[in-house]
Amino acid sequence: MSEEGKSNVRAVERALDLLLCFTIRSEWAMGELAEQTGLHKSTVHRMLATLEDKGFVSRDRLTERYRLGLRVWELSANMPQTDDPGIISLPEMERLRDTLGETVSLYIRDGGERIRIQAVQSNQAVRRVAPVGARLPLYVGASSKVLIAFESPGKREELLRESTWPESIDRNQFRRMMSEIRASGYATSFEEREAGAAAVAAPVYNRAGILIAALSVSGPSNRLTMDAMGEYVPAIMEAARRIGALLR
């Protein structure tokens, strides 16, 4: 191989090394990337400028920090594992966690229960820990409400007649709540399943418009107040839309 060819290969390797840094965390300063990769800052600057120009990274003009760009999501949409929402959702969930500072979870429905198939934990000292694989009842919690409210009418009614629900639940009142959730586009819970915990969730639809999952942000109720959850809704719904756009 010629010296020019070797130089081109090294340039590609360096660019890939920079992109692979985003598998560790979702946001980097240029100096941090230089330290992480062992490359000179001038080299990192040139590489990032090219990657940004091609859409593979984006730069926050206020903080001068870099994130993965939309071109990465376009590539991932054609990967075979795009049918797995847990894999596809992770970068967007990390972005949402970094934006809001709280734990982000993704739930799917399995019969009369919901399962947490992906979670990104908050970096705050006091946080809501969400173990992946946990099974939770479908009659309580923000994500449960979303997974019922946005189902088809027939399936929704079938779930509302689930015999395992506690007798204390008023089904007609629950139906009215489902209508309100569909009208607002999201659901909240405040110390419903666990004292001191709160959550807000939005539906995730795939490209065909089919409900796939519920995207949830949860945290301590003294921090995740009803007002705070209301402020977080636009970011959560946008993240849910972005995730859904990648699912077939």
Side-chain angles (χ1 to χ4, degrees):
M1 182 182 295
S2 67
E3 287 303 315
E4 181 181 356
K6 291 179 181 179
S7 177
N8 290 337
V9 170
R10 281 197 299 271
V12 172
E13 289 177 341
R14 289 169 175 174
L16 292 175
D17 284 341
L18 287 174
L19 289 176
L20 288 172
C21 288
F22 293 91
T23 64
I24 301 172
R25 69 172 195 253
S26 61
E27 187 177 275
W28 295 84
M30 186 186 71
E32 293 172 336
L33 286 169
E35 183 177 351
Q36 179 70 23
T37 59
L39 298 173
H40 195 277
K41 285 187 178 180
S42 61
T43 301
V44 172
H45 182 268
R46 291 196 303 272
M47 293 289 178
L48 288 173
T50 300
L51 290 170
E52 183 179 8
D53 183 60
K54 295 295 184 180
F56 286 96
V57 299
S58 63
R59 177 167 53 95
D60 189 306
R61 296 299 189 269
L62 294 177
T63 65
E64 294 296 319
R65 297 179 71 83
Y66 291 84
R67 295 175 179 268
L68 288 176
L70 293 178
R71 188 57 57 86
V72 175
W73 315 137
E74 293 174 13
L75 287 176
S76 68
N78 293 311
M79 293 175 62
Q81 64 264 40
T82 52
D83 289 337
D84 187 338
I87 295 174
I88 291 302
S89 64
L90 188 55
E92 197 62 48
M93 290 174 67
E94 290 176 338
R95 183 194 298 267
L96 187 61
R97 185 272 312 278
D98 293 345
T99 299
L100 302 183
E102 301 292 354
T103 295
V104 180
S105 300
L106 192 73
Y107 294 90
I108 61 170
R109 184 178 62 80
D110 183 26
E113 296 178 306
R114 59 180 162 117
I115 304 173
R116 185 183 294 115
I117 63 169
Q118 188 59 275
V120 179
Q121 311 297 340
S122 168
N123 290 325
Q124 301 199 52
V126 178
R127 60 187 177 184
R128 179 84 168 81
V129 177
V132 173
R135 284 182 172 268
L136 300 168
L138 203 59
Y139 52 80
V140 64
S143 294
S144 291
K145 296 172 188 175
V146 162
L147 291 172
I148 295 176
F150 295 97
E151 265 290 3
S152 64
K155 175 57 69 173
R156 185 166 61 245
E157 190 59 32
E158 179 184 328
L159 293 170
L160 286 170
R161 292 197 299 266
E162 178 63 49
S163 60
T164 59
W165 287 27
E167 294 182 2
S168 59
I169 294 179
D170 185 322
R171 305 303 173 95
N172 289 328
Q173 184 179 353
F174 203 93
R175 288 184 178 90
R176 289 192 292 272
M177 180 171 58
M178 294 299 98
S179 296
E180 294 171 359
I181 290 170
R182 288 195 301 277
S184 65
Y186 67 95
T188 61
S189 63
F190 195 84
E191 299 189 336
E192 289 183 7
R193 191 179 62 84
E194 182 180 341
V200 54
V204 177
Y205 296 97
N206 68 6
R207 298 178 195 171
I210 298 171
L211 178 67
I212 297 296
L215 181 66
S216 166
V217 171
S218 61
S221 56
N222 64 344
R223 195 165 65 224
L224 204 62
T225 63
M226 294 302 293
D227 287 343
M229 287 192 283
E231 293 175 1
Y232 291 170
V233 164
I236 297 168
M237 295 182 74
E238 175 61 17
R241 185 195 67 77
R242 286 176 176 269
I243 292 170
L246 299 173
L247 300 174
R248 297 175 179 175

